[in-house]
Amino acid sequence: MWIDQAGQQVAPPLSGSEAFVTAVLGGVLWESAALAALGGVYLISRHLLDKHRARLWERALARLRGDATAP
């Protein structure tokens, strides 16, 4: 039985294998979260750049056609 400084019963400390598994799973979860965040930033950036590029193409095509209402 394990007790703390106040004399209350507490759970036993992690064994070596439990600590190893906890560390590995924690690392995998953090890496997955970081990759998901970076992937989201990449996709959002790509979408915004594609929209901007499409607007530039539309302006250029409108100028070539001679549209007076070209932005």
Side-chain angles (χ1 to χ4, degrees), residues 15-70:
S15 69
S17 62
E18 290 173 331
F20 176 77
V21 169
T22 301
V24 169
L25 288 177
V28 168
L29 287 175
W30 273 106
E31 185 175 354
S32 297
L35 288 174
L38 289 173
V41 167
Y42 169 76
L43 290 175
I44 290 170
S45 299
R46 186 173 165 182
H47 173 72
L48 292 174
L49 289 171
D50 285 345
K51 281 177 52 175
H52 178 69
R53 193 177 307 115
R55 271 188 251 121
L56 291 176
W57 272 102
E58 288 298 321
R59 283 186 200 153
L61 289 173
R63 270 187 261 134
L64 286 174
R65 286 190 304 252
D67 290 348
T69 59

Side-chain angles (χ1 to χ4, degrees), residues 3-19:
I3 57 172
D4 62 7
Q5 292 177 347
Q8 301 294 323
Q9 185 177 354
V10 295
L14 295 176
S15 69
S17 62
E18 290 173 331

